[in-house]
Amino acid sequence: MGILLRWLGAFLLLAAIFNPTRWNFVTWARTNWPDQMPLIVFGGLILAVAMMVYIVATMRSIGLLGAIVIAAIFAAGLWVLTDWGLLALGNSVLTVWLAIFALSLILGIGLSWSILRQRLSGQASVDEIDG
């Protein structure tokens, strides 16, 4: 359940920052910049810190190579679905949602990697602190 919540958090964070609807931070900030600049800067900083938590955790746990492998697996799955005629990528709205989903998978797996590795291998991960 915790892994699902971490992924959902990543998905909601990415969708809050940008999505193809008008209900996202980027669209709101562009529209209201002259009138609400301090609130936009404040909100942007809060979203940036939240993204930094996900990105740093992901890079520490799976690294760039792991992120690329997850993205490649997702892309290969899309390729199979497209080849079978089950998915058409001509719709830009669908493509943006799929990109948000793929990025949220990478971030969610990255944040949950130590839990997944412990469950699969039975070995606990601990941080090594150098004095």
Side-chain angles (χ1 to χ4, degrees):
M1 186 68 170
I3 295 168
L4 182 63
L5 288 176
R6 286 176 181 86
W7 165 79
L8 183 60
F11 182 82
L12 292 174
L13 178 61
L14 289 167
I17 293 170
F18 181 77
N19 66 65
T21 71
R22 63 186 177 114
W23 301 103
N24 63 75
F25 179 79
V26 171
T27 302
W28 172 73
R30 277 192 214 154
T31 305
N32 297 298
W33 180 257
D35 301 326
Q36 299 182 9
M37 187 187 317
L39 183 59
I40 291 168
V41 170
F42 179 73
L45 290 171
I46 297 296
L47 290 172
V49 168
M51 278 304 298
M52 283 175 41
V53 168
Y54 271 94
I55 291 170
V56 168
T58 298
M59 289 301 113
R60 282 187 174 179
S61 63
I62 63 174
L64 183 60
L65 181 60
I68 291 170
V69 169
I70 294 168
I73 291 169
F74 186 80
L78 289 179
W79 187 11
V80 168
L81 293 175
T82 303
D83 188 54
W84 288 352
L86 299 174
L87 183 66
L89 296 177
N91 182 349
S92 63
V93 171
L94 175 64
T95 304
V96 171
W97 281 115
L98 287 172
I100 292 169
F101 182 73
L103 289 172
S104 69
L105 279 178
I106 293 168
L107 295 175
I109 289 170
L111 200 62
S112 303
W113 185 248
S114 63
I115 297 167
L116 291 169
R117 185 173 60 215
Q118 181 180 356
R119 286 185 184 169
L120 292 173
S121 70
Q123 296 177 348
S125 297
V126 294
D127 288 335
E128 188 173 317
I129 300 174
D130 294 328

